[in-house]
Amino acid sequence: MISLSTLAWRCAVFEWPRPLSLRSALPRTRGGTRPLTLEGQLLPRILRMLASVFSGRLGRFGRSGRVGFLGLLSLLSLVVVPAQAQAQYRPSLSWVRESLSIQVNRDGSNTQVIERVLRVETEQGIRSAGEQRVSFNSALEDVEVLEAYTLQPDGSRVEVAVDKIRTQDVVADGDVAFSDEKVKGIIFAKVAVGSLLGYRFKSTQHTAYFPGHFFQSEVITPHYRHEDFSIDLTYDPSLALQMHADRMLGGPVPSLPTDPPGSVRHRYTYRELQAHAPETGQLDLADFAPHLLISSFAGYPELAKAYQARAKPKAGVSPAIAALSAQLVAGAADERDKVRRLYNWVARNIRYVSVSVGAGGYVPHEAQSVLELRYGDCKDHVVLLEALLDAAGIASSAVLINTEDSYRLPKLAMPSAFDHAISYVPSLDLYLDSTAEFAPMGLLPNADMAKPVLLTALGRVGMTPATDPAKDYTSTELELALQPDGGIVGKSQARLHGFLQVTSRSTQQANATREQAGVINRLLARFMESGTGKITPTRPGDLDAPWLVQTEFELDPVVNVPGPSAMTLPAGLSPGRIKGMLYRPPANRRFPSSCQSVRHVEAIALSFPASVRLGRTPQDVNFGRGALAYSASYRLEGQLLKVRREFVIRRSGTVCGASDDRDWEAFQTVLQRDMRAQVFFE
């Protein structure tokens, strides 16, 4: 079947490359996998980027379900839809027909014939729909394009020439991936608004990803119209398939004369002529969109056992691994110190490289091989760390997790629910992600937090820690001095904790390789400031050291001096977390959104020249509504204005809705007024 997939986990198959097959922004998985496109479902990713300050989601982006061909342009065509324009929303494409005929054999191998026809609705649709892509694993399956054409509005049909259907290697973020993943690109000719673009292809998967198992997920985006969607499934009853349909019609139907003898047939359909605009911060579509799940796994314990059966043997303790483990833990104070040393070594020394051959998207390489090569994907990180811990007498488990905005597991056990693998140490109740090279032990990247996970060695479902304002917070001290010409000389120091620290370490490491003047200019431009400066963080890769980012800067004049005049408080090169919170959510939210708990504290001291006579200063602020709390105090001590601001989000869960948006709007009104508040002087 079209593996628009191979687990597409954040690594190897836990990691997927470019937009695949035909359903942009339409998470679905074939062959049970959830391919990553552009390191994640691009549409919600872009929307979350717009809302990153609001929700605090600053971590990496991970999985997408089966995202179709539309790729970047079509996703962008959906992205920026102002709240007042929701009623005028018009998708770039409509799905006229999509039919899937799936025949599953008792060993999990299968054949699928898929037909797709879409109508181009806008000029943007022309640009984005001109090329469709179908992905497949060349080691496990064969794909044949049976027909492809453009049907013009006048009824004329333009066939896609054979030389315009090409097989290419999958690429990830511009680099060739070391895998058997391929894409068939179909280039359509004479595409115009109103054109129908159609193609039909056959996928034959001769080797199942998990021996004796089949799984597939079809998730339908609400952001397009769907005129005719159908799935016909036949399977050998000795393969105990389960189906779960959400807002799809169908179920068992009589077998056809052409079906294999003794097979069981199901049929499911869906139709929805109303399309709804995507919303800033919305959850992964798998959490709320109509879908059909098909799985032969009886439950998540069986899936854990199937993964463990092939992964555990790869974590063998070789003499070299045993020697390295003993060297690293020598003199350790306790078990936690041992784990820290081993985790730090893997995070620092094993480079992340996606290498997926055959079923390698689900199966790690030998731990000894990973040690020798000094690289591997997320599953390889896990097996090497597991072997090192085992050599030190510490048990651990692989953890299957999703890195997208998905906060619940499907009702059926689906490998496609996961796109990443991390580690868990039961004796310490400790989750570790060694692929996050800037995450000190005990911290996780934002994308790993508050997620349901599968602990494969333990055979059960677990949950990673949720965000917590007591642990995930920033504390910034900012000193500003107004100069006689109206400029500002300042310095700041920021301490970041929790997932915010992980993000900051990564950012500062990346900034160190960039032209510094450009970095400074971009940071100052956030709040329409300009000037010069420098940033001095502690070493990002030193995971055992406290994290501190210090800056020094000189701002060009921000106010006219001498007065009378008035000025707001500049941010300079400080993080400016609170000032950056300005964001307006959708006016009428339809879909659930992701949210989290964080805290930001700022202590600002602004000194004025002795020649300046100070007048009115801003009033104190105290706001509280729902999960949100904000306070600001202003104290004038001679020529020094001392300001303390604190913003706290303390939520009970990770999913928010319209009522939370209303709370945020009320907060925005208060925050905007406080950010506009001025200090008056002569």
Side-chain angles (χ1 to χ4, degrees):
M1 86 227 61
I2 302 307
S3 126
L4 294 193
S5 62
T6 284
L7 189 74
W9 303 2
R10 222 192 96 71
C11 46
V13 159
F14 276 122
E15 175 162 303
W16 195 257
R18 294 287 172 191
L20 307 175
S21 95
L22 186 67
R23 272 200 187 257
S24 141
L26 178 57
R28 351 217 291 148
T29 42
R30 298 199 67 58
T33 62
R34 296 189 67 123
L36 288 181
T37 60
L38 294 176
E39 204 184 6
Q41 184 185 337
L42 190 53
L43 167 61
R45 288 179 62 217
I46 294 174
L47 292 170
R48 282 192 300 278
M49 289 167 67
L50 298 176
S52 61
V53 176
F54 162 54
S55 63
R57 299 198 60 83
L58 303 172
R60 70 187 179 206
F61 299 109
R63 142 200 112 173
S64 103
R66 182 170 141 224
V67 174
F69 93 98
L70 298 182
L72 178 59
L73 288 177
S74 63
L75 292 176
L76 290 174
S77 72
L78 292 176
V79 169
V80 182
V81 184
Q84 65 271 25
Q86 295 285 320
Q88 290 76 41
Y89 170 70
R90 184 183 182 189
S92 59
L93 306 168
S94 292
W95 289 93
V96 176
R97 181 169 64 258
E98 181 169 19
S99 65
L100 294 82
S101 177
I102 307 170
Q103 180 178 318
V104 185
N105 304 315
R106 64 185 304 171
D107 63 356
S109 63
N110 59 90
T111 300
Q112 303 197 23
V113 176
I114 297 159
E115 180 183 11
R116 294 176 176 143
V117 181
L118 62 88
R119 181 169 50 248
V120 178
E121 303 285 13
T122 68
E123 294 289 333
Q124 181 62 57
I126 297 175
R127 293 189 291 273
S128 60
E131 180 181 355
Q132 318 295 323
R133 297 179 183 178
V134 175
S135 78
F136 62 101
N137 185 313
S138 60
L140 306 180
E141 56 194 317
D142 301 311
V143 169
E144 177 187 5
V145 177
L146 304 176
E147 66 172 335
Y149 58 88
T150 304
L151 189 62
Q152 304 284 28
D154 63 6
S156 60
R157 176 170 167 143
V158 181
E159 302 292 339
V160 174
V162 174
D163 65 345
K164 297 301 184 291
I165 301 175
R166 302 177 180 179
T167 301
Q168 299 173 312
D169 289 331
V170 155
V171 294
D173 295 330
D175 296 325
V176 176
F178 299 96
S179 76
D180 290 323
E181 300 304 323
K182 308 291 182 183
V183 293
K184 281 190 180 291
I186 306 172
I187 304 174
F188 292 81
K190 298 184 178 180
V191 180
V193 173
S195 293
L196 297 182
L197 306 181
Y199 68 88
R200 186 166 57 92
F201 58 92
K202 179 180 180 180
S203 167
T204 303
Q205 181 164 358
H206 49 78
T207 304
Y209 292 110
F210 286 87
H213 283 286
F214 175 84
F215 50 94
Q216 183 154 325
S217 170
E218 298 292 332
V219 180
I220 297 184
T221 175
H223 308 316
Y224 295 110
R225 290 185 285 269
H226 305 274
E227 299 176 14
D228 182 7
F229 175 84
S230 64
I231 297 178
D232 289 281
L233 169 69
T234 60
Y235 64 95
D236 188 313
S238 63
L239 185 66
L241 286 185
Q242 303 176 73
M243 273 69 71
H244 172 73
D246 183 315
R247 285 160 287 176
M248 287 189 182
L249 301 177
V253 295
S255 296
L256 299 179
T258 55
D259 291 346
S263 63
V264 176
R265 173 176 283 269
H266 284 239
R267 178 175 174 79
Y268 297 90
T269 62
Y270 181 82
R271 176 180 172 86
E272 177 56 69
L273 301 183
Q274 179 66 49
H276 301 286
E279 297 170 349
T280 307
Q282 71 182 42
L283 295 183
D284 186 272
L285 297 184
D287 275 16
F288 68 87
H291 58 266
L292 174 67
L293 306 177
I294 308 170
S295 178
S296 62
F297 289 102
Y300 283 100
E302 185 181 11
L303 173 56
K305 183 178 180 181
Y307 180 86
Q308 192 73 359
R310 293 194 289 180
K312 180 59 179 177
K314 305 295 184 179
V317 179
S318 67
I321 289 175
L324 176 61
S325 178
Q327 175 189 338
L328 292 173
V329 302
D334 52 24
E335 182 175 281
R336 189 176 187 87
D337 190 26
K338 291 179 181 180
V339 173
R340 179 187 59 79
R341 295 182 183 199
L342 297 174
Y343 165 78
N344 284 357
W345 191 91
V346 174
R348 291 168 177 166
N349 292 280
I350 302 302
R351 168 170 113 259
Y352 179 87
V353 176
S354 174
V355 181
S356 174
V357 178
Y362 294 93
V363 183
H365 297 90
E366 297 280 351
Q368 176 60 32
S369 172
V370 179
L371 176 62
E372 292 172 354
L373 297 173
R374 293 292 200 273
Y375 66 72
D377 64 18
C378 61
K379 303 181 301 299
D380 299 333
H381 271 246
V382 168
V383 294
L384 178 55
L385 182 55
E386 180 179 350
L388 290 167
L389 289 167
D390 190 25
I394 302 171
S396 68
S397 173
V399 178
L400 307 188
I401 186 173
N402 90 81
T403 57
E404 262 296 344
D405 278 345
S406 178
Y407 296 95
R408 66 181 187 183
L409 292 179
K411 291 185 179 297
L412 301 183
M414 306 290 294
S416 54
F418 309 105
D419 64 2
H420 188 38
I422 62 175
S423 303
Y424 178 69
V425 180
S427 60
L428 300 177
D429 191 22
L430 181 66
Y431 289 92
L432 305 166
D433 187 346
S434 61
T435 67
E437 59 180 310
F438 299 109
M441 190 190 80
L443 300 184
L444 292 174
N446 182 33
D448 290 353
M449 300 192 71
K451 297 297 180 64
V453 299
L454 184 59
L455 305 164
T456 62
L458 305 179
R460 62 176 174 85
V461 170
M463 180 73 71
T464 58
T467 54
D468 181 346
K471 299 177 181 178
D472 302 292
Y473 68 96
T474 65
S475 177
T476 302
E477 297 176 8
L478 175 59
E479 296 181 17
L480 305 169
L482 180 64
Q483 302 301 296
D485 65 350
I488 292 285
V489 172
K491 62 181 180 180
S492 70
Q493 58 179 17
R495 293 174 173 82
L496 301 98
H497 305 267
F499 77 85
L500 298 163
Q501 177 185 150
V502 180
T503 303
S504 178
R505 284 179 181 263
S506 178
T507 298
Q508 294 303 326
Q509 178 69 18
N511 283 344
T513 65
R514 298 181 176 123
E515 192 266 324
Q516 291 305 291
V519 172
I520 298 302
N521 286 335
R522 285 190 294 273
L523 287 173
L524 293 178
R526 296 171 300 166
F527 305 116
M528 300 182 66
E529 297 168 2
S530 62
T532 60
K534 67 177 182 179
I535 303 172
T536 309
T538 50
R539 194 160 66 88
D542 187 351
L543 302 183
D544 294 330
W547 180 242
L548 177 67
V549 180
Q550 296 177 300
T551 74
E552 297 178 7
F553 53 88
E554 294 185 10
L555 301 183
D556 296 330
V558 298
V559 65
N560 294 330
V561 177
S565 194
M567 62 179 290
T568 58
L569 299 180
L573 293 176
S574 70
R577 295 278 182 172
I578 294 177
K579 197 168 188 177
M581 285 287 171
L582 295 171
Y583 153 83
R584 183 172 293 279
N588 298 291
R589 186 178 291 279
R590 178 182 296 273
F591 308 119
S593 62
S594 62
C595 52
Q596 59 192 189
S597 300
V598 293
R599 178 166 59 100
H600 301 299
V601 178
E602 297 176 353
I604 306 171
L606 172 58
S607 64
F608 293 84
S611 59
V612 169
R613 185 160 60 89
L614 293 170
R616 189 168 75 249
T617 59
Q619 295 181 341
D620 291 353
V621 177
N622 281 288
F623 170 86
R625 176 165 165 172
L628 310 178
Y630 175 67
S631 63
S633 64
Y634 299 85
R635 299 292 180 268
L636 188 58
E637 299 178 1
Q639 297 296 104
L640 183 67
L641 178 65
K642 292 185 176 181
V643 182
R644 186 184 188 280
R645 293 169 174 160
E646 181 173 5
F647 175 62
V648 182
I649 306 177
R650 185 173 284 104
R651 300 192 185 281
S652 59
T654 54
V655 178
C656 289
S659 62
D660 299 287
D661 286 344
R662 304 294 78 79
D663 293 343
W664 189 270
E665 287 177 346
F667 163 63
Q668 287 292 285
T669 300
V670 173
L671 181 63
Q672 287 173 340
R673 184 178 183 84
D674 190 43
M675 293 300 104
R676 293 193 303 265
Q678 296 176 305
V679 181
F680 289 80
F681 61 87
E682 296 182 1

